[in-house]
Every structure is written in structure tokens, then in C-alpha cells.
Amino acid sequence: ETAFFYPNLLTDQDGNVSFEFTSPEALTQWKFMVLAHTKDAQAAILEKEVVTQKEFSVTPNYPRFLREGDEINLQSKLSNLGNQKLSGTAELQILDAFTNENITDKFGLNSNGTQRFSLMEHGNSVPNWKIKVPKNVSSIILKVVATTADGKFSDGEQVAVAVLPNRILVTDALPVFVKEGQTKSF
């Protein structure tokens, strides 16, 4: 992936140049290349490695779909890549996909939708929520948001998930390999 931008260069009184730009949303290492030149044709090239990452991030483990009556433990990984301890709250919100109405309480999460967490330096935590899928819900948005107690860091993710009624049969395909003259039972 390539990130190209026209920087707004800011020079201080000592000649140091600084700039800001938004990188693509990726946790990766980038090759950073700078070409600078002056009006009298002097030039310089700088090449460095830059890492883009969030100090605090949320990585939910969402299901592809749910069925009416399912009882599941929905988990989310909280990661602290910083050098300080972090604590705060992680919240699961369940929204109606058509109206954006908060229907978390229909899934049995009245007061358990928000959980406290504590992360060591470079540590992880896995909050989980036990939910029971009610009937008469067709499509939902699962939203996990975590915020540190000091408000310095926050992150979140959401995804739309279909809720299938029990009358819909979901089948799983299985490849069948049979050689010439061979018989197999499945």
C-alpha cells in the first residue's frame, strides 16, 4: 500500500521542519522517503523506516451471523502497546441495524454491557459479554468501544450482523474426492 501526501511543512527558528499527515489505517512498517531541494539546485534524500500503530486498540471477535435463541460469549481483545498502565471501561452496544435504536437490554446486558479493564505495559486483556439472542430481531450492529479512565485513549469497532430465524437452514459444503473405480460413503 502506498501513502502519498502533499505535506504542509512548518519550519521553526532553528531550521527544523515538521509536518503532519494521516496514514492509511494499517498496523505496519513503512518505508519513508523524502526528497528536498533548494532554489540553487542543491538536493538531499532521506530514507527511514516508520511504524504506524495505535498505543491502545480494540480487536473484537465478531460472529458472521447469529440465530434466534443463541447464547454466546462475545469477546474482544484490548491491547496496550504503550509504556504505561491503562485502566478504563469497555462497552458493548447492540443497535437495531434499521433504526440505530439501542437494543442492548433485549440481549440480557442491562448493567453488564460495560466492563472495567486494567492493562499492564505492553499487555492485553479480553473482556467478554454473555448475550442471548432474542426472537424478532433480523439485523443488528455490534459495537465495542473502550475508553481509558483519563480519557487519553479510546478505540472502537462495529459491524452489522444478520440474525437468522431458526426456520432457515444453514448448510456447510463438504468437498468430495472420489477416484475412478473408487466407492466412498458420506
Side-chain angles (χ1 to χ4, degrees):
E1 191 172 354
T2 301
F4 183 80
F5 59 95
Y6 289 107
N8 182 16
L9 302 176
L10 303 171
T11 307
D12 65 12
Q13 62 189 19
D14 298 326
N16 297 315
V17 177
S18 64
F19 60 93
E20 291 182 6
F21 68 97
T22 303
S23 71
E25 207 171 295
L27 173 60
T28 189
Q29 186 171 354
W30 301 84
K31 181 192 227 178
F32 183 72
M33 299 171 64
V34 176
L35 170 64
H37 60 86
T38 63
K39 290 180 181 180
D40 59 349
Q42 292 181 358
I45 296 176
L46 172 69
E47 197 172 309
K48 294 282 185 181
E49 298 290 328
V50 177
V51 176
T52 55
Q53 67 185 19
K54 293 180 180 179
E55 282 191 50
F56 175 69
S57 65
V58 173
T59 310
N61 187 12
Y62 293 126
R64 291 186 312 166
F65 64 89
L66 295 168
R67 281 195 173 276
E68 291 178 343
D70 277 354
E71 290 186 30
I72 67 165
N73 283 325
L74 186 69
Q75 295 183 335
S76 184
K77 178 181 169 187
L78 305 178
S79 300
N80 178 10
L81 299 178
N83 294 325
Q84 61 185 5
K85 293 181 181 180
L86 297 176
S87 63
T89 57
E91 180 181 11
L92 171 65
Q93 296 177 8
I94 303 173
L95 310 173
D96 185 303
F98 300 108
T99 64
N100 265 352
E101 174 191 354
N102 191 333
I103 56 172
T104 306
D105 56 338
K106 289 184 179 180
F107 287 76
L109 288 175
N110 300 347
S111 60
N112 297 334
T114 302
Q115 295 184 13
R116 299 205 51 75
F117 68 84
S118 181
L119 296 169
M120 300 300 289
E121 304 89 1
H122 302 285
N124 297 314
S125 176
V126 182
N128 63 49
W129 296 270
K130 186 172 184 172
I131 64 172
K132 182 170 172 57
V133 182
K135 294 184 184 224
N136 302 324
V137 176
S138 62
S139 187
I140 60 172
I141 295 173
L142 295 172
K143 182 177 181 179
V144 175
V145 178
T147 306
T148 57
D150 60 6
K152 187 176 178 184
F153 297 107
S154 69
D155 192 27
E157 265 192 44
Q158 70 179 29
V159 68
V161 176
V163 178
L164 304 176
N166 285 332
R167 66 181 180 272
I168 294 178
L169 179 63
V170 177
T171 58
D172 190 13
L174 176 69
V176 178
F177 302 102
V178 180
K179 294 182 182 176
E180 185 179 339
Q182 188 179 27
T183 304
K184 288 188 179 180
S185 299
F186 293 91

